[in-house]
Amino acid sequence: MLRSMTLRHRTSVLTRASLLAACVALGACSDRSSPYHIGIVLDEDGMRGARQASERVNINGGINGHLIVLVNAAGAGSTKARVALETAERVASDPTILAVVGHTNSSASLAASQVYNARHLVQIAPTSSSPLYTNAGPYSFRLVGSDVHQGVFLATQVLERSPRPRTAVLFVNDDYGRPLRGVLVARLHAAGLDPVYDSPYSDISDNAEVVTAMARTHPDMLIWIGRAYDYGPIKRKIDRALPQLVVLASDGFSGGDAANDTLHFFDGISYVRLVDVGRVDSSWTQMRAKYAREKWGVPTDQAVLSYDAVMLLAEAIRHAGPNREAIRDWLSHVGRDAPAFEGMSGTIAFPSGGDRRPQYFINTLGGAVPKTTIAGMK
């Protein structure tokens, strides 16, 4: 009980103003119109998108007169299984929470999925792409495709170049990097192109010898499977050693460091995005305007997909009612024998299990505005 109360208090601080405004404007708050609770296990980036979605739902009357309350849990950014399990236990043990959006990364989402499936609580992971998540359980959904598909997509970007480049691969040594690298390298090998350098990393900032070793193989292209904040410390070393190197990064590069690179530190780097930033959509326009007003920079993939996760759950609760089992049943039919859901990130469908149909775009950094090329959708 104490844990649940602590969790609820944290949320009320975050949402009290917006809930009060909605209640006053709509007359929606009464004893018979108790709010619906959605658990949120995201970092601030994802939380911004989730908040904007809940505000939009509430200002439009909520869900059949019931407002949404986001129950924000601690430990959102951790990749440690222990932290993810403890957080999931706190969230799942609160019977008023109807579903959860999170976690922020694949490692945490995989660990937490054990708890959510055991407690029959729907989990929508906005950006977790590990192939293992496909089999996490019937209550686990996600808004991105498995990295089995992204690995093929990255390999295709390499193989379509003429002449084929001498390719190096650096990948983060975790549940995200290892399987994505595995699919990529296997696909390249099958096409007769083995990487000239292939190495994991964990703490790249103290690993200058990785750059030296890679430079000895004289690659033309680097496939970086990891985060922008890990690439930053070695970027200048790579630029000096291999000034003509073409860098293509996975979707892990996406985030505030890349999207809001006002100093143009990462200019010239291309990376995979999971949403089309050029999409014409009123929700996109509103989110960009909100970010501009708050001086938050540019919306990231996680912000957009977290927004869509809350909106999708609101639709599920609206149709299925405030019941964990019914919510799961409704989501399992989206895009199968029920219409797909149109989100800010595009069409959301779960044609088999809880995996969304994958979509990928190439974003190239440089100049005042990043350039996005629709490079493929599988």
Side-chain angles (χ1 to χ4, degrees):
M1 177 61 72
L2 178 60
R3 287 179 177 176
S4 178
M5 288 174 65
T6 302
L7 204 61
R8 189 65 43 73
H9 175 70
R10 186 180 297 113
T11 304
S12 68
V13 172
L14 289 170
T15 60
R16 185 182 296 121
S18 59
L19 287 175
L20 180 60
C23 287
V24 171
L26 301 168
C29 295
S30 67
D31 291 339
R32 64 183 179 82
S33 296
S34 57
Y36 292 149
H37 297 91
I38 296 175
I40 303 292
V41 193
L42 300 169
D43 58 20
E44 182 58 29
D45 184 36
M47 191 64 197
R48 284 171 177 166
R51 283 197 201 104
Q52 193 158 340
S54 66
E55 289 168 1
R56 180 172 180 177
V57 171
N58 288 339
I59 206 68
N60 286 309
I63 303 171
N64 302 324
H66 299 260
L67 300 178
I68 289 180
V69 170
L70 302 182
V71 181
N72 187 29
S78 176
T79 61
K80 295 179 179 178
R82 177 183 57 80
V83 175
L85 288 167
E86 290 174 352
T87 301
E89 285 287 358
R90 288 198 302 271
V91 173
S93 63
D94 185 340
T96 69
I97 294 179
L98 300 175
V100 61
V101 177
H103 295 202
T104 299
N105 55 75
S106 289
S107 296
S109 292
L110 280 167
S113 68
Q114 304 171 56
V115 175
Y116 297 135
N117 279 277
R119 299 295 187 88
H120 293 192
L121 180 65
V122 163
Q123 171 192 19
I124 297 184
T127 56
S128 297
S129 56
S130 170
L132 295 174
Y133 193 82
T134 296
N135 300 314
Y139 290 82
S140 297
F141 297 81
R142 59 176 164 192
L143 298 190
V144 295
S146 163
D147 277 333
V148 167
H149 304 289
Q150 186 177 175
V152 172
F153 177 78
L154 283 168
T156 301
Q157 305 310 302
V158 176
L159 296 171
E160 286 182 347
R161 291 176 176 263
S162 182
R164 287 184 174 180
R166 291 173 58 82
T167 305
V169 178
L170 284 175
F171 62 97
V172 61
N173 193 19
D174 63 10
D175 288 331
Y176 166 73
R178 288 189 297 269
L180 180 48
R181 172 263 173 197
V183 175
L184 166 68
V185 171
R187 190 73 173 205
L188 293 177
H189 177 76
L193 181 65
D194 290 313
V196 297
Y197 187 79
D198 180 13
S199 175
Y201 76 84
S202 52
D203 186 5
I204 198 74
S205 61
D206 296 325
N207 210 355
E209 62 269 22
V210 170
V211 177
T212 302
M214 181 177 68
R216 290 195 194 105
T217 66
H218 306 290
D220 305 312
M221 186 175 191
L222 168 62
I223 305 298
W224 174 264
I225 300 175
R227 286 88 185 179
Y229 55 75
D230 285 332
Y231 188 78
I234 63 168
K235 180 183 182 297
R236 288 193 173 91
K237 298 172 186 175
I238 290 177
D239 290 346
R240 286 194 297 268
L242 298 161
Q244 303 303 315
L245 187 70
V246 174
V247 180
L248 174 61
S250 66
D251 73 289
F253 202 86
S254 180
D257 295 85
N260 301 308
D261 179 24
T262 57
L263 298 178
H264 307 293
F265 182 65
F266 295 118
D267 276 12
I269 294 177
S270 298
Y271 66 97
V272 176
R273 289 203 68 163
L274 304 172
V275 300
D276 178 10
V277 296
R279 177 179 167 87
V280 178
D281 180 272
S282 60
S283 299
W284 247 120
T285 302
Q286 292 173 17
M287 177 172 278
R288 285 195 294 263
K290 172 79 169 179
Y291 269 59
R293 287 195 304 271
E294 300 293 340
K295 296 181 171 36
W296 291 337
V298 180
T300 63
D301 289 358
Q302 185 179 202
V304 173
L305 292 167
S306 299
Y307 175 98
D308 276 354
V310 171
M311 296 299 288
L312 178 60
L313 284 173
E315 192 72 3
I317 298 168
R318 183 174 291 112
H319 285 277
N323 177 278
R324 291 182 176 186
E325 296 280 359
I327 292 168
R328 190 211 72 84
D329 289 343
W330 188 87
L331 286 173
S332 69
H333 290 88
V334 172
R336 298 168 77 177
D337 48 6
F341 180 80
E342 290 302 321
M344 189 191 300
S345 62
T347 301
I348 297 172
F350 304 110
S352 58
D355 281 4
R356 181 186 184 175
R357 286 195 185 99
Q359 59 178 20
Y360 304 109
F361 309 90
I362 295 294
N363 197 70
T364 302
L365 295 168
V369 180
K371 176 183 177 183
T372 301
T373 301
I374 300 178
M377 187 179 297
K378 300 183 185 300

